[in-house]
Every structure is written in C-alpha cells, then in structure tokens.
Amino acid sequence: MVKIKLLIFCLLVSFGLFAQEYSYTFRFFQNSPMKGDYFFSKTISSGDSFIDNKQGKLPVSSTVFHTPGNSIELNYMNTKSGSWSATLYRQEIRGMDNFKPASHLSFWIFNPSDLTTVKDLPTIQLMRKDSSLTKKQYISELPVAKWHQIMLSLKSFSNSSENPSDTYIAVIFSQQNTINQQHILYVDDVECVSWSPVVKPAIITENLKAKGYSKHIDLSWEAITDSSINLVKIYRSSDGVEFRAIGIQQPYINRFTDFTGETGKTYFYKTTCLSQHYEEGPFSSIVKSATVEMNDDDLLTMVQEASFRYYWEAAEPVSGLALENIHGRHDMIATGASGFGIMALIAGTERQFITRDQAVERFIKIVKFLENAESFHGVYPHFLDGTSGKTVPFFGQRDNGADLVETSFLLQGLLAAKQYFSGDNENEILIREKITAIWEKVEWDWFRKTPESKFLYWHWSPDKEWIINHNLIGWNETMVTYLLAIASPTHSIPASMYYSGWANQDSTGYNYRANWGQTSDGATYTNGTSYYGIPLAVGVSNGGPLFFTHYSYMGYDPQLITDEYTNYFVNNQHIAMINHKYCVENPLKYKGYGYDGWGLTASDGPFDYSADEPVIWQDHGKLAPTGAISSFPYTPKESMNALKNYYNNYGSFLWGEYGFKDAFSLSHNWCSTIYMGLNQAPMTVMIENYRSGLIWNLFMQNEDILNGLIKLETETNSRKK
Ligand code: CA
C-alpha cells in the first residue's frame, strides 16, 4: 500500500523542525530491551583476536550496569595476529528527530580488573551516515571496579564542526594494542551531551503510587516539570529493606511497569531522579503493592486500560489528541490514530477508567481544537501540530494537505462520540453540535478529482493538488472512506461508486491489486480461493495484513455490511483464521510463531516498519500484539490465547506503560521500544466490541450512517436485477 511506501519515504527525507518540539538526547545505547545480546550492534574479529558475541551481536549484562537493567559487555582478546571491533548503531525511531545540542561523546565504563591498563582499552571512533569513520580517540584514565564517565570532545574526532544528529550513526570500539590478554569491560549510556556542571537533583517524584496486576506492578507519580531531570530510577525490594535498582524511565513519562512474572507477591518501591550526568537525588517515599490472581475478564480489562492510557494520559496536552508514536514527536498528532483513540476513550469511560465528567472535559477540548485546526475542503491532514493546529508535512512536502483516509478514521471516532454524549446538558450538546459541523463540512464528493471519476482520491495538496494521485481501491483498510462518503448528508458520493471505485473490477483495479499483492489472487476484488481450507470471498492475496480487518470496523459493525460478494464480519473472520493458520504452519520457521503466537499486520520491525501478511514474501518474523488482540471479535479463543502468551511469557520485554509494545521478533531477539497510535487503540476498542458491542452499537445508531448503508443496499439490490 502507498501508505506504507510513504512511511518509508518519510524516513528518507528530512523535515522542518518546530522550535518547541521536545529535544531528545542523541543516544547510541542505554539499555537493550532484550536479554542476551543487543540487536543494534555488530562485532568483527580476525586472526587470534576476538570479541565475545552472539551471532555477531554484542552481549549485554543484566548484573553489571550503570543504568538498570543492562550494559554492553566488551569481552575481548587483543593479539598481534589480528584485531577486533564492536559497533553500536543508534536506533532510528520515527519522529525522534529533534536533539539537544551536544559537544561531547559521553559513555560510562566499568573495569572489574586491576590488570587492565589504559593501553589495553579499545579505541573509539564515530561512523558517519556515509559509513566513513572519524579519527580514533583514546581513554586516558581507568579506575578499577567503579562506574566512570568518559567525556570525549566531538571536535577531537573530526576537524570540522559536525552536528552529531546530522552526521553520526554509530560508535565503534576497536582493538588498540597487541598484548595477548583477555579483558572485560562494561559500557553503558553511550550518548552525545553538552558539557555541564555536575549537579545533584534536589527533587523527588511526588505522590508515588503502586498497583498490582497478575504478573506486574504499575508505578505512577506526578509529572516531572524540572527540565534538568534526565531520568527517573526505580528501586524494588521484596522485604522493604534491601532495595535494588531495576529500571529507569524517561522524564516525560510518569509511569513505570515492573513485570516480575510472579503472582501473589508483595513488592516495595522507591525512586530517585537523575541529572544529565546521572547524579542521583534523594529517595522518594516507599510504596508497596502485591500481584494478584486475575481471571480472563480481568486480563481483558487490564489490556484495555493500558492501551487506553496512550490516548488519555499520554495525549498531546493542548489538543487532547493522539501522538503518532511514543517515543516520538511530543507536539505532533496523527488524525487517524486520534479517531481510534477517541473510540478508546469512550470504551475507557464506560469501563470507568475515567469519569464521564473527565471524558466530557476532554471531548470539549478535542472538538474545539478540531473546529479551528487546518483542513482542506473539510478534510484534515495526516498530521497536525497539536499546539497550533497547523499541518505538519511529516511524510514530505507532497503530503502537505488533505488526507481523506485519516480523516475517515477520525470521523469514525467522532460519530461514535456524537452518539455516546447524548446527554441533555450544555456540554454534551456542544460536543454533538461541533461533531456535526465537522462531519458536515467534509467535501467527500470533491475528492473524486473530476465529476465523472469512479474513484475517491486519498490526498490533496493546496499547492500541488493531486500530485500523489492515489485512488482508493479495495479491499483494504479504506472501506470506511467509501462508506462515510456515501453516508454524508452534505457532500455525498453516489453509492454506485462503491462498486465502480472501491470494488472496481476493470484493469485499473486489477492492476492495482495485483501490484500490491504480488499475486493475481483477489485482483478482481473477489477472491474465491480457499486457504488452509478456509474460503476467502473478498481480499487480495490470502487476505493481507490484519489491520485491514480492524481500521474500518471499529465503529462500523461488519456484521451489518453485506455487499454483492460477502458479509464483512464473516470475511474478516476468515482472514483472521487464515492468518492464524499460517502462523501455526510457520513456513519460515520463525521463533515464537504458533497456536498462541500469531497476528501478522503493519507494525514497527527490527529493520523497518512493514505491513506483514501471511505469505512468505511479506513475513519478516515479527509479531505485533495488535494483530491477534484486535481480532478478538473474529477469533475470541485464538486471540485470548495470544494475549495470555504475550503477557505471561513475554511480558518482561513486551508489556509496558501503555500495554503491549508495538511488535517483537524472537528470531532476531528484538523488541520494539515504541507504542504506535494506530495499533494501541484497536486493542481497547475491538476487545470492547467483542465484550459488549459498545462502539459498534453507538456508531451504528447514527442516522446518517444507517442511511448510507440503506443506499448501499439499494445499489446492491439494483445490481442483482
Ligand atoms: Ca543501561
């Protein structure tokens, strides 16, 4: 899909930065999310020299570290007959693209042995984006058995004044002298910093709280506003006396998840704040909580609440809407993810994670922001600056205008909210009125490009018009766009476009589908083949990534959508079952796939963001929890088994502040460090639709939506005659 291509494109182009965006530390290493070895590393050795590695990756130590939970272990032998090197690559994360100015490369080393001298230590170089290397630098002092900060001036690596975030992609440690002796060093917190005086923080985390779940404890505290704080450090004890450091948290997240893996145990916690140079402030008060037995219902609520938090407490504060990913940009909101988040907020209100008054207050903020935010023919861009309401061309200058699909996802959420806030009071009336105004000003018909067009078009730019020129052809995640366009009371398109455009069966549609699916299966919209004994009425290839079965059907109840070819609940169910069977068969023999490990869909990955699907050419060995868990209405048993497997067996790396991390790959010993706005909410919402039908029922009560479905049904019936 072009959407995916655009995502990749965006990583290749640079964009203007907003002065107020959060500045990250330009960091090469702080912790490996996985035990054993660090994915973003590479070792090389020759002759009799060696550096310890696991399939070419650097080992990590979970017992010796500067910041908990681990450090890089350099266990090496220098010889005359060879050499070794170890490279730490900086992990690129979407939207983590604004950095603090830096003057030095800083890292911490721990030398356990008094036999090692500075001459035995590795040299240090930086690698540029073009793979060229800077000059070598050396470590000139080495205390024994204590963590020691090394600060090397960036100017000493390169004569020119290179800005690290524009220039460097890796740090390389390599053999210095040639004496036969084995050495072990631990390296941690490798980052570019400005020189600043060492200051001990005076502040503590306020109002520390702990809450126990089945196998983890959630800690939370009041948001930290002191910008000099680098990290929060968390200590755990099982007796309230002996504490040990177990983790860190970035200063902009006031929550930490401690997955202990044990049920029915009591734990005590306290925290400290760390300065830029890791000077530690005073301890907070001590809190305690116990892990508790939880039944299936409790687990579902736990997953719903954790993902809900992404849209509640981690929302962009001015607009109240959803960020693209965390960690990522702090001021930029994603319109589609915000629509999904709106449905998660409704589910969270009904589950009493927040009060109705809190929800009303948030929705007033949301609708007032959207009322004034930039739109084009009533259609919002993919990304908005939450502080100003202006378009952010995050995917490049061509995408600086309307995004009809993202706007559809947003409207799906807003129309569900319009039904939910049905109260006869000033606030709820205001929410409904503003949503109606937003809905009625969307010029769906204008996005035909020409009056005779069979298709809707995805994008429009105010200065480049239809330059992206992507017509919407199904079947994929964009069905909601045609359904809403048909349903619009003010700017509707003819229902015939459902068949001429969305389900187009001439060469335009055929070629489009055959191109993205890399197969003729389903290229005519209808499919008609059985996979693993499961018939597929509609869908390209053998169904595609699972988000196709989620994004359009969080508000739209697929049980009520039947066209000439199929019913979309049944079709989605079959697609989920095919995805499951493929993962059980696991033709590429990836670790972790199987009856309880399945769900190929679009997510972050070890090498790139990709839309994985159950065919060998689109299966990269990564599983995204949202794939199986957002399929709950279709495959309740298989989805529950995956949920339990992911939480119980992989929770130590996969479970965090906002629920499941985006994706993981056991074959690559990799786990994503981010949560994505498009992937968290579908878990909350689709579990809710499975449990109570809440969002489906609300959305389908909307008169315009019902009228749209009647128009489609009339069109379908007229075609049968
Ligand atoms: Ca560390």
Side-chain angles (χ1 to χ4, degrees):
M1 302 302 303
V2 157
K3 186 170 181 176
I4 304 305
K5 287 180 189 152
L6 271 172
L7 287 171
I8 293 161
F9 173 72
C10 88
L11 299 174
L12 302 174
V13 295
S14 57
F15 346 88
L17 295 173
F18 292 90
Q20 71 273 27
E21 252 298 338
Y22 180 82
S23 302
Y24 287 97
T25 299
F26 191 75
R27 188 171 281 144
F28 295 94
F29 178 84
Q30 188 153 62
N31 277 320
S32 168
M34 302 296 269
K35 288 186 172 161
D37 57 272
Y38 185 50
F39 180 77
F40 297 97
S41 69
K42 187 169 90 174
T43 64
I44 299 174
S45 60
S46 64
D48 291 330
S49 294
F50 82 83
I51 173 143
D52 192 21
N53 68 86
K54 294 182 178 179
Q55 280 93 44
K57 306 281 185 197
L58 281 165
V60 295
S61 170
S62 302
T63 51
V64 182
F65 47 74
H66 180 244
T67 45
N70 52 53
S71 71
I72 292 287
E73 187 178 316
L74 299 178
N75 182 354
Y76 57 91
M77 170 83 89
N78 297 342
T79 68
K80 281 185 179 160
S81 70
S83 67
W84 63 265
S85 76
T87 306
L88 279 178
Y89 293 96
R90 206 184 72 81
Q91 182 190 358
E92 293 230 11
I93 293 176
R94 185 194 305 186
M96 238 174 148
D97 50 9
N98 189 33
F99 298 98
K100 290 177 182 142
S103 58
H104 288 72
L105 176 71
S106 164
F107 57 90
W108 293 76
I109 57 173
F110 185 93
N111 161 43
S113 161
D114 58 7
L115 297 176
T116 302
T117 71
V118 290
K119 291 211 155 196
D120 305 315
L121 296 178
T123 63
I124 296 110
Q125 283 170 288
L126 291 161
M127 184 190 286
R128 299 186 186 89
K129 285 178 178 170
D130 64 3
S131 298
S132 66
L133 303 181
T134 63
K135 286 189 290 191
K136 289 181 176 173
Q137 290 303 315
Y138 302 86
I139 300 168
S140 58
E141 51 180 329
L142 186 68
V144 177
K146 66 177 276 208
W147 281 99
H148 177 66
Q149 185 177 23
I150 305 290
M151 296 262 286
L152 300 169
S153 159
L154 288 168
K155 284 194 177 127
S156 69
F157 287 94
S158 176
N159 293 329
S160 65
S161 55
E162 295 173 319
N163 180 359
S165 59
D166 291 338
T167 315
Y168 301 124
I169 59 164
V171 176
I172 301 172
F173 298 90
S174 49
Q175 174 175 321
Q176 183 181 183
N177 78 352
T178 53
I179 293 166
N180 277 302
Q181 195 170 357
Q182 192 174 345
H183 303 279
I184 292 186
L185 275 185
Y186 299 91
V187 175
D188 206 352
D189 300 308
V190 185
E191 56 200 18
C192 292
V193 300
S194 284
W195 186 90
S196 64
V198 171
V199 183
K200 199 178 169 87
I203 70 160
I204 56 168
T205 56
E206 300 285 350
N207 203 12
L208 185 66
K209 286 180 184 156
K211 184 177 177 191
Y213 293 83
S214 171
K215 292 178 188 290
H216 79 273
I217 306 278
D218 259 350
L219 293 173
S220 63
W221 53 86
E222 272 172 37
I224 289 172
T225 51
D226 183 337
S227 63
S228 72
I229 299 305
N230 178 15
L231 294 167
V232 174
K233 188 171 180 180
I234 295 96
Y235 292 80
R236 181 216 296 150
S237 166
S238 53
D239 58 10
V241 181
E242 297 264 316
F243 281 85
R244 72 187 180 89
I246 50 142
I248 49 171
Q249 183 55 280
Q250 303 303 316
Y252 49 86
I253 298 178
N254 50 322
R255 184 179 289 282
F256 180 83
T257 291
D258 180 28
F259 191 92
T260 65
E262 290 186 284
T263 305
K265 285 198 69 170
T266 298
Y267 303 96
F268 301 80
Y269 296 91
K270 58 184 181 178
T271 64
T272 60
C273 293
L274 306 183
S275 70
Q276 185 193 295
H277 293 292
Y278 299 89
E279 280 286 301
E280 195 161 4
F283 283 108
S284 69
S285 55
I286 294 171
V287 293
K288 74 169 180 175
S289 187
T291 48
V292 292
E293 291 285 348
M294 292 175 76
N295 62 26
D296 285 7
D297 247 15
D298 298 333
L299 285 173
L300 288 176
T301 305
M302 177 188 86
V303 171
Q304 284 186 289
E305 182 173 17
S307 291
F308 152 87
R309 285 186 196 131
Y310 182 103
Y311 309 88
W312 177 246
E313 65 182 44
E316 192 284 316
V318 181
S319 64
L321 291 168
L323 303 177
E324 167 70 351
N325 47 274
I326 299 175
H327 317 274
R329 289 201 182 174
H330 287 209
D331 290 344
M332 186 181 79
I333 55 167
T335 44
S338 293
F340 296 172
I342 282 169
M343 292 182 265
L345 292 177
I346 297 169
T349 309
E350 204 57 17
R351 291 267 159 213
Q352 298 181 335
F353 304 149
I354 53 173
T355 65
R356 192 170 176 105
D357 284 348
Q358 286 177 299
V360 166
E361 190 184 341
R362 169 62 64 89
F363 274 82
I364 285 176
K365 180 187 275 194
I366 289 173
V367 294
K368 284 187 171 172
F369 171 83
L370 289 171
E371 180 184 35
N372 296 310
E374 194 167 19
S375 66
F376 308 87
H377 296 278
V379 174
Y380 293 100
H382 194 149
F383 300 105
L384 284 164
D385 185 326
T387 61
S388 69
K390 298 291 181 205
T391 304
V392 183
F394 186 60
F395 284 177
Q397 278 305 325
R398 297 197 319 162
D399 193 16
N400 65 346
D403 187 313
L404 195 63
V405 174
E406 292 288 319
T407 299
S408 307
F409 299 153
L410 179 64
L411 259 305
Q412 199 178 190
L414 288 173
L415 292 177
K418 185 183 166 185
Q419 301 305 127
Y420 185 63
F421 294 104
S422 57
D424 195 18
N425 58 70
E426 197 183 333
N427 285 336
E428 300 200 18
I429 290 169
L430 179 111
I431 292 170
R432 292 200 296 277
E433 282 176 357
K434 300 243 183 256
I435 291 173
T436 302
I438 292 165
W439 163 231
E440 292 187 350
K441 90 178 171 175
V442 177
E443 296 174 34
W444 303 92
D445 51 347
W446 200 78
F447 283 77
R448 293 177 75 175
K449 187 162 108 176
T450 59
E452 66 280 4
S453 166
K454 294 175 181 175
F455 302 101
L456 285 170
Y457 285 77
W458 196 314
H459 310 89
W460 181 80
S461 153
D463 56 342
K464 301 169 195 74
E465 299 192 318
W466 307 99
I467 187 169
I468 298 178
N469 200 38
H470 187 148
N471 44 3
L472 297 179
I473 295 172
W475 180 86
N476 51 39
E477 80 278 21
T478 70
M479 181 191 264
V480 60
T481 307
Y482 277 90
L483 294 180
L484 289 174
I486 293 166
S488 168
T490 48
H491 298 280
S492 68
I493 60 164
S496 59
M497 283 180 69
Y498 180 91
Y499 289 102
S500 71
W502 166 252
N504 176 287
Q505 296 190 319
D506 64 28
S507 62
T508 310
Y510 187 96
N511 293 335
Y512 179 84
R513 297 185 193 99
N515 182 38
W516 109 54
Q518 296 175 54
T519 165
S520 60
D521 285 19
T524 52
Y525 189 77
T526 55
N527 185 304
T529 311
S530 286
Y531 304 92
Y532 306 101
I534 301 158
L536 183 64
V538 165
V540 175
S541 191
N542 60 3
L546 283 170
F547 75 94
F548 287 3
T549 68
H550 306 148
Y551 289 6
S552 285
Y553 312 104
M554 290 165 63
Y556 269 105
D557 180 351
Q559 296 169 106
L560 303 182
I561 306 171
T562 302
D563 65 10
E564 195 175 317
Y565 314 113
T566 191
N567 168 271
Y568 286 88
F569 182 88
V570 174
N571 205 60
N572 287 345
Q573 188 170 48
H574 287 187
I575 287 169
M577 287 161 67
I578 290 166
N579 202 300
H580 179 251
K581 294 248 185 205
Y582 172 90
C583 293
V584 171
E585 185 192 63
N586 189 16
L588 297 174
K589 303 295 164 217
Y590 285 124
K591 277 190 209 167
Y593 281 32
Y595 194 80
D596 302 341
W598 67 284
L600 303 186
T601 190
S603 73
D604 190 21
F607 306 105
D608 219 336
Y609 181 89
S610 62
D612 283 16
E613 47 181 296
V615 288
I616 54 172
W617 60 90
Q618 285 297 351
D619 173 11
H620 301 95
K622 67 178 165 76
L623 295 172
T626 194
I629 294 170
S630 303
S631 298
F632 240 103
Y634 312 126
T635 48
K637 189 168 150 232
E638 293 83 356
S639 296
M640 193 70 206
N641 287 335
L643 184 156
K644 286 182 180 172
N645 178 33
Y646 294 161
Y647 178 74
N648 291 334
N649 299 318
Y650 307 139
S652 63
F653 56 85
L654 195 57
W655 184 260
E657 307 85 0
Y658 311 119
F660 290 109
K661 306 267 175 67
D662 198 55
F664 68 106
S665 170
L666 296 185
S667 291
H668 292 107
N669 198 37
W670 170 88
C671 183
S672 178
T673 53
I674 63 168
Y675 308 87
M676 293 197 68
L678 286 172
N679 283 342
Q680 297 307 109
M683 292 190 262
T684 301
V685 174
M686 291 304 256
I687 288 175
E688 192 57 47
N689 280 331
Y690 161 71
R691 297 178 84 178
S692 69
L694 174 74
I695 306 297
W696 282 345
N697 292 341
L698 286 170
F699 183 83
M700 300 314 294
Q701 284 165 12
N702 184 288
E703 255 176 51
D704 295 332
I705 296 307
L706 280 180
N707 286 338
L709 281 191
I710 291 167
K711 283 197 235 173
L712 176 61
E713 196 181 319
T714 307
E715 175 68 22
T716 301
N717 289 335
S718 76
R719 288 168 61 89
K720 285 178 187 161
K721 285 174 188 158

